[in-house]
Amino acid sequence: MDVRRTAVVKLAVSDEQRDALHRTADQYLYCAKRTADYCWSNTSYTECKTNKRQVRDALYPELREETDLQAQLVQAAIRRAVEAVKACVGRWKKGQRVSCPTFTAETLDYDTRSATFFRNKVSLATVEGRVEPSFVLPADSPTPYEQYVLSEDYEFRESTLRYDAATDEFYLHISTRRCESDGDDAEGSADTGHPDQTVLGIDLGVTSLAVSSTGRFWQGDDYDHWCREFEKRRGEMQQCGTQASHNALLRLGKREEAWCKQYIHTVANELVTEAVEHDCDVIAFEDLTDIRERLPHANWHHIWAFRRLFEYVSYKAPERSISVEQVEPAHTSQRCSRTDCGFTHEDNRHGERFECQKCGYEVNADYNGAKNIGLRYARKRTHRLRSSPTSGSGDAPVDVRVNGGTLNGESHRPIAGD
């Protein structure tokens, strides 16, 4: 199992280093734009070029001649652009409206050859040669940089240099990975499943940000409220049209982003704790692909929260020896989660309530969906689903340990069975 960690470090740069990094970013973005234009086709997605090796072979010599970038940075810019085009092609195939990717944010990808780390500074390749800005580290120790980048348990993967225009600062996002051996995997048991493992299913929604198959709800009321408040304040500032209001708008955006990230971090921590307390080995989410189409009433901040939550849980869970997986979400909201029924019909769901038209099983719709998500993964791997403890619900087949039950629609807490 891979455990990945990212340490964000602020850089102390001199005026000369700042200029060099800005010029490097300009040429890096130029390479990315040239690559995207080369790969893109307005006629058909089949004519778009998405083979990284072929694109690199075609453009690399030209871009090296046209810029002063180090070879690794040119190749990194090409890879970024090809990946962006490939993502657009994937959406185009599904009938979504897309356009050629553009690159405006000053971000650069560094690998082990273009970035060298020391204890208190980093050496970065630029168009002016190497620069060595120092780290601005917090006084509290150990810092994430010390825990992950300097640790012998983690290996450096890559880093991304980001320029924050609002604060006029450069930050380095350093990605690391720790590999943990799994004896079962070494014996090839991953293909046959782990019948002793237990799955926690997670459903994502608009009314409830997340619901677990154990019956725990993370409501999105506070999140929605503060997103609306931030949006209201932005509107008021935009009406002023002054430079001062523009600067205040940038500061507000930073505060909003920090607040939202902290909120989702808290939910992710509680979700992982829920899995630990119920002895779960796997957390199963629905596949987030096309979630905007599946939840047409969701606002942009909901979609952002769903993706961030999955990202944070995927980041935190392996530390507790819990893997995170995704399953196909089709019909999980319409299927009866009682494993002795499984009847699927669109009339089963009525808003926030679920009532099976075949067996009469009534439960909160999001909780029903969470159980179905866990069950879908459990059946494929012969795992057991962890559900809310109830009695007499008939939800437990031989290979899936489900205790089933109902939820009180008012409190959203698991209660005893019928």
Side-chain angles (χ1 to χ4, degrees), residues 9 50 100 126 142 178 188 237 271 287 296 405 418:
V9 182
T50 58
C100 181
T126 73
R178 185 182 73 196
M237 292 178 181
L271 199 155
D287 191 337
D418 300 338

Side-chain angles (χ1 to χ4, degrees), residues 308-336:
R308 281 286 182 175
L309 181 59
F310 176 76
E311 175 185 331
Y312 290 167
V313 172
S314 300
Y315 178 86
K316 299 169 185 288
E319 279 284 312
R320 311 299 293 271
S321 298
I322 299 172
S323 62
V324 180
E325 307 291 344
Q326 289 183 309
V327 300
E328 170 60 41
H331 307 302
T332 52
S333 65
Q334 301 174 2
R335 180 187 182 278
C336 179

Side-chain angles (χ1 to χ4, degrees), residues 39-93:
C39 296
W40 190 253
S41 169
N42 290 319
T43 306
S44 170
Y45 61 77
T46 59
E47 298 181 10
C48 293
K49 303 175 180 64
T50 58
N51 186 295
K52 293 180 184 179
R53 176 173 294 183
Q54 293 178 357
V55 174
R56 182 197 62 194
D57 292 344
L59 291 182
Y60 175 76
E62 296 179 19
L63 295 178
R64 282 282 283 157
E65 287 291 330
E66 295 172 5
T67 67
D68 299 315
L69 291 176
Q70 187 190 58
Q72 285 75 26
L73 290 177
V74 173
Q75 294 183 36
I78 293 173
R79 285 195 301 270
R80 178 187 291 187
V82 174
E83 289 171 358
V85 170
K86 187 179 296 185
C88 288
V89 168
R91 294 194 295 272
W92 195 349
K93 289 180 179 178

Side-chain angles (χ1 to χ4, degrees), residues 13 50 82 86 101 107 143 157 164 172 185 207 243 278 295 306 344 371 385-387 393 401-402:
V13 297
T50 58
V82 174
K86 187 179 296 185
T107 62
T143 64
R157 301 295 297 169
D164 187 341
L172 200 60
D185 289 343
T207 304
Q243 183 61 46
H278 289 84
L295 295 175
F306 299 152
T344 304
K371 291 170 65 178
L385 172 68
R386 180 64 72 196
S387 183
S393 62
R401 187 176 65 198
V402 184

Side-chain angles (χ1 to χ4, degrees), residues 360-398:
Y361 178 55
E362 293 186 48
V363 73
N364 178 276
D366 292 331
Y367 170 60
N368 180 75
K371 291 170 65 178
N372 279 326
I373 289 170
L375 279 168
R376 182 160 293 177
Y377 181 82
R379 287 196 180 97
K380 288 183 178 180
R381 301 299 183 94
T382 64
H383 293 356
R384 294 189 293 267
L385 172 68
R386 180 64 72 196
S387 183
S388 63
T390 62
S391 60
S393 62
D395 275 29
V398 175

Side-chain angles (χ1 to χ4, degrees), residues 343-360:
F343 178 69
T344 304
H345 197 279
E346 61 182 9
D347 291 339
N348 283 348
R349 178 161 187 171
H350 307 277
E352 296 183 29
R353 299 297 299 170
F354 179 91
E355 181 179 359
C356 180
Q357 303 300 301
K358 181 179 179 181
C359 71

